Structures are given as structure tokens and as C-alpha cells.
Amino acid sequence: MKRDYYEVLGIDRSAPLDEIKKAYRRLAMQHHPDQNPGDKAAEEKFKEAAEAYGVLSDAEKRKAYDQFGHAGVGGAGGGQSFQFDPGQFTDFEDILGSFFGSGIFGGGQRRRSGRGEPGSDLQYTLRISFRDAVFGLENQQIEVPRLEGCDTCGGNGCAPGTSPQGCPQCRGTGQVAMRQGFFQMAMPCPRCEGRGNIIPSPCTTCRGQGRVQRRSTVTFRIPPGVDRGMRLRLVGQGEAGVGGGSRGDLYIICDVQEDPRYQRDGQDLHAKQEVPWPLLALGGRLKVETLYGDDHIKIEPGTPSDTVVKRPNAGVPRTRGGGRGDLYLHLRAAVPKTLSPEQESLARQMLDALQGDEDSPAAEAEEGLLAKVFGSNSKKKKKKN
Ligand SMILES: [Zn+2]
Ligand SMILES: [Zn+2]
């Protein structure tokens, strides 16, 4: 467990910056490795204070920390970086985890390559089965309709043999001056819409847009353990940019189907487990089904029917950090709908033994119910005993 940064520095949550600095200086002097040679505990305290100071002294990081705690500033890594790495090919996150994207799809994190307009991000909702979500999917393919660079003109929008020309109205600057009273303001050029160049003869394939709508096949992998609402980011698989702008990203949103046996709670699973009632009374071993094959559980004699048995590591794989969640089996006494004559006789002997005196008021009251459960001839048999 990581300690709260304010607690580490021993300051109030509303402490101003100079108080944060003062608190850090005091702790740093106290626990500095030079002052405490060979003292591991002091070294840890020193590091802890440095980390807390690193976050709380930075207004933006402090705000993120106040709002989301350690998760907001990089979780276990601690106050290093809390931006996604756009260089990564796929980046896994859940919707709640993407605090720092502006807008739902993180478009604010767009890498601007300096030139042109970046392509749009796309999203695709992928419905997958419960088991595929648990075990993952390799080589998953989807068809995505998206804007791609035009092959005819190479994306510049010009008919073959021609090229873009500097806009005569703004002389290639993309801006024109507008006079308003005493003030002069810069406005995007109306002729070239701020691009600075114009297309004298547009490419007929893309009508000068530089991009065409096309269906493309995208191949990707779903890692094991995804949950409903999680999204997979495929960097550069969104729409093509314009005029040298970077490509957008494609977000795959996982819509995981329900399973009849398992209810999911994060990476843990819950399932009902029927147990023959004599086994609950007598105790013994029971074969149970898990996602990873058959398992056996031990039933203690006299186990109540609402007991929960935990099977460690039989849950869903964690998408980060490795390992799996646990499986919780909620035991229920299995009562057979029909009984063979032999089973009925045994059950009755058992019941009689448990009930003791048949003529007690409790036994009388139960007789009507028994007749319903065991059929009309049960009364006759009962009388014979
Ligand atoms: Zn074209
Ligand atoms: Zn212009």
C-alpha cells in the first residue's frame, strides 16, 4: 500500500506550495542517505518524500493526484508520468482509466506532426463472448470503413502532373489581415481556408480532398482478461490525415457477453455450485467445473448450503500485472426433482430419524407439505412405518 502523499509530507491537503517545499526540505534533511549511512528505512523515507514532493509541487500533477489518487499520477510507478505513450503499438486501458484524454476518445493527445491536419480517431464496438474475453483472441479481424490517403494523387489532392500552389490571396501564409476600427486582426484566409495553398486542378478520384472512403481490414489481438467497457487502442489505425497530418487511432471497445454460469466482478468470478444435500451433511470431495478444467473441493461435514468456497487463481487473467482473479463457488443444496423408490425410502428414514416423534405438533404441520413433495402415496407409506 502506498501512503498518501500529504501524509508522507505531514501537511494539510490545502497546504500552499511554500509549505510543501518547507515540509519536503525538512524531511529530506532528516532522512538524507548522507546523514543516515546504511539506514534502509531512512533511505525509503527519503525516496517517499521525494516522490510526494515531485507530485505535489507540480500544480497539474497535484490536481490529478487530488482527484484520482496514486492512479492519477501513474499508479505504482509513482509520480513519474501519467501520459499514454503514443509510441506503443497498442495501449490497453479502461474508460475510467483514461483520465487525461480530452473528450471521450482521447483526441486531445493527438500527436501533431507540424504539418497538415491529423486524421480522426475511430471507435468500433466489438461484441465478444465471455470465454474469448477471458482467454483473449489472436488474429481478430474487422472491416473498418475509413478515410484513406488517395492513391491517385498520393494524398495531395492534385490531378497527376500538377501540384499545389501557394495561395495568391494570403501569399501562402494562410492568414489575412482584417482591419476593424483601429485594430488589425489576423483571420484564416477565406480562399485557402488557412492552409496556405490551393489546388489548381483537383484530383478526380478524391475530388481534391486527398482522401477517399475505403473499407480496410484491421488485424489485432485481444489480450486475455478484457472486461466490458475496456477499450483497446490501435495507434495509427484511425483515419488518414490531410496534407501530411498524422493518422488517427482506432479504439476497439469490448462488449463482453454474459455467461450463464459465471458472474464477473472485475477479475473475480462467482458461480452457483449445486451440491447433493447428503454431501453437505456428511462431508467429502466434490468435482467442480472451472474455466481451467475440473477441480475438486473438500466439503466439511455439516456444511451450510450458503457456504462460499474460494478457488484461488481460477478467475480471469489480469490485463496488467499478471496472475488471475479468484473463483468463488456459492454452494447450494441440490434437491432432486424425482426420487427412485429406494432413494425415497432412504430419504424418509432420514427424515423420520431427524424429526423424532411423529405426533409432535411440528411433525403434524409438516405432513401436508410432505404429501405435496413426495406424492399422494407417501402418506400411506408413512403410516405403515
Ligand atoms: Zn486524389
Ligand atoms: Zn490563402
Side-chain angles (χ1 to χ4, degrees):
M1 271 302 285
K2 263 176 98 77
R3 273 172 79 204
D4 179 59
Y5 287 152
Y6 291 97
E7 195 191 300
V8 168
L9 294 182
I11 51 171
D12 225 315
R13 296 193 82 81
S14 58
L17 186 60
D18 58 346
E19 209 177 308
I20 293 170
K21 280 184 182 160
K22 227 182 281 170
Y24 171 60
R25 212 173 296 136
R26 186 175 49 78
L27 286 167
M29 268 154 67
Q30 191 185 336
H31 300 298
H32 198 281
D34 290 352
Q35 307 283 333
N36 307 270
D39 185 348
K40 275 269 157 223
E43 195 188 325
E44 280 311 306
K45 282 214 163 89
F46 178 74
K47 281 188 194 154
E48 197 181 34
E51 192 187 299
Y53 176 72
V55 169
L56 298 185
S57 62
D58 180 315
E60 221 178 308
K61 287 183 186 173
R62 184 180 181 183
K63 208 170 126 197
Y65 178 76
D66 285 347
Q67 219 170 339
F68 304 109
H70 291 295
V73 288
Q80 299 311 314
S81 99
F82 49 86
Q83 297 278 330
F84 297 121
D85 176 7
Q88 239 174 307
F89 178 65
T90 56
D91 186 3
F92 206 76
E93 57 188 279
D94 65 35
I95 284 177
L96 292 174
S98 59
F99 316 122
F100 296 99
S102 69
I104 311 170
F105 297 111
Q109 307 222 348
R110 174 67 38 73
R111 310 157 302 288
R112 276 200 164 265
S113 61
R115 282 175 51 82
E117 259 175 70
S120 302
D121 291 339
L122 297 174
Q123 84 163 294
Y124 184 98
T125 303
L126 183 72
R127 198 157 166 71
I128 56 172
S129 75
F130 171 80
R131 270 163 201 272
D132 286 344
V134 171
F135 294 109
L137 281 171
E138 299 293 332
N139 291 319
Q140 191 63 22
Q141 292 195 327
I142 53 170
E143 289 261 298
V144 184
R146 63 185 180 190
L147 285 169
E148 298 284 4
C150 172
D151 291 331
T152 309
C153 62
N156 69 4
C158 300
T162 70
S163 55
Q165 285 172 6
C167 172
Q169 189 164 340
C170 61
R171 291 194 205 91
T173 62
Q175 291 190 333
V176 288
M178 280 269 289
R179 192 171 284 282
Q180 207 156 36
F182 293 110
F183 299 101
Q184 189 159 307
M185 302 195 316
M187 301 275 292
C189 169
R191 172 103 186 249
C192 63
E193 290 169 335
R195 281 190 293 269
N197 54 49
I198 53 166
I199 293 163
S201 63
C203 162
T204 49
T205 308
C206 62
R207 276 177 266 145
Q209 300 301 303
R211 299 187 296 180
V212 286
Q213 187 77 27
R214 204 186 294 154
R215 294 184 77 84
S216 305
T217 305
V218 176
T219 307
F220 57 95
R221 163 181 184 267
I222 301 273
V226 299
D227 204 352
R228 173 168 311 181
M230 277 184 169
R231 58 184 200 161
L232 193 65
R233 180 191 195 184
L234 303 178
V235 173
Q237 293 284 6
E239 295 200 316
V242 185
S246 60
R247 291 193 72 106
D249 300 330
L250 172 62
Y251 289 91
I252 308 284
I253 314 253
C254 299
D255 179 13
V256 181
Q257 284 172 295
E258 300 276 346
D259 185 81
R261 174 167 162 84
Y262 299 104
Q263 276 87 50
R264 204 168 151 169
D265 176 17
Q267 308 310 109
D268 291 336
L269 292 173
H270 294 263
K272 286 191 183 118
Q273 178 66 51
E274 298 231 308
V275 187
W277 62 264
L279 191 55
L280 289 174
L282 299 169
R285 262 158 69 87
L286 177 71
K287 191 165 105 174
V288 296
E289 177 204 318
T290 79
L291 286 172
Y292 308 96
D294 288 339
D295 192 3
H296 289 85
I297 60 172
K298 190 178 173 215
I299 309 273
E300 295 294 335
T303 295
S305 79
D306 53 358
T307 302
V308 180
V309 177
K310 176 176 163 181
R311 304 312 293 157
N313 214 33
V316 180
R318 283 183 249 281
T319 48
R320 288 177 216 234
R324 296 183 197 138
D326 304 320
L327 169 63
Y328 294 90
L329 295 169
H330 297 249
L331 305 190
R332 283 176 15 151
V335 179
K337 281 227 161 52
T338 55
L339 291 170
S340 69
E342 192 192 357
Q343 287 169 335
E344 187 184 329
S345 157
L346 287 169
R348 191 165 311 290
Q349 281 176 40
M350 172 95 186
L351 185 64
D352 288 346
L354 288 172
Q355 279 188 323
D357 184 10
E358 251 184 72
D359 296 327
S360 74
E364 278 296 319
E366 224 142 10
E367 206 144 297
L369 186 74
L370 266 175
K372 269 186 220 156
V373 175
F374 290 110
S376 53
N377 62 344
S378 68
K379 250 190 173 165
K380 278 178 240 154
K381 267 192 193 164
K382 202 172 167 114
K383 287 274 140 67
K384 263 189 270 171
N385 289 350

